[in-house]
Amino acid sequence: MYYAIIAQDRPDSSSARQAARPAHLERLRQLQDDGRLLVAGPHPAVDSPDPGPAGMTGSLIIAEFPDLATAQAWAAADPYVQAGVYEHISVKPFVKVLPA
């Protein structure tokens, strides 16, 4: 089943986000290589794909996991968590309807 991992950044976490980004992306690439990643990306703080100094406000990852507990454990082990980037993470089951 798919699970949506919705994370909210802590204020002023841009430098920690940049430092942890390579390790964060490597974990996402592993999900992609395993065929389990539906989509992943950040939420810009302003209406632009390149927010510059405004930075990001969080992230969305939708990926396949065997169950909710596994998805929660995966999210808790994210390098952004270890670096103190995320203030809050929500993990919810997700049903993909479209595109079919």
Side-chain angles (χ1 to χ4, degrees):
M1 177 165 204
Y2 284 114
Y3 293 87
I5 300 168
I6 306 154
Q8 179 71 36
D9 286 9
R10 292 184 187 284
D12 301 317
S13 61
S14 292
S15 61
R17 177 181 265 275
Q18 287 301 316
R21 189 168 190 262
H24 171 77
L25 291 177
E26 182 56 36
R27 290 182 84 231
L28 291 173
R29 284 188 194 99
Q30 185 61 55
L31 284 177
Q32 182 178 8
D33 291 348
D34 292 345
R36 297 171 40 210
L37 183 64
L38 183 64
V39 67
H43 300 286
V46 295
D47 190 12
S48 171
D50 181 6
M56 304 296 176
T57 62
S59 301
L60 170 66
I61 300 163
I62 302 176
E64 191 173 18
F65 294 95
D67 54 51
L68 180 60
T70 304
Q72 289 170 327
W74 188 92
D78 192 282
Y80 282 172
V81 172
Q82 309 302 319
V85 173
Y86 291 152
E87 181 173 61
H88 175 75
I89 299 175
S90 176
V91 181
K92 300 177 180 185
F94 179 82
V95 176
K96 181 181 179 263
V97 175
L98 295 173

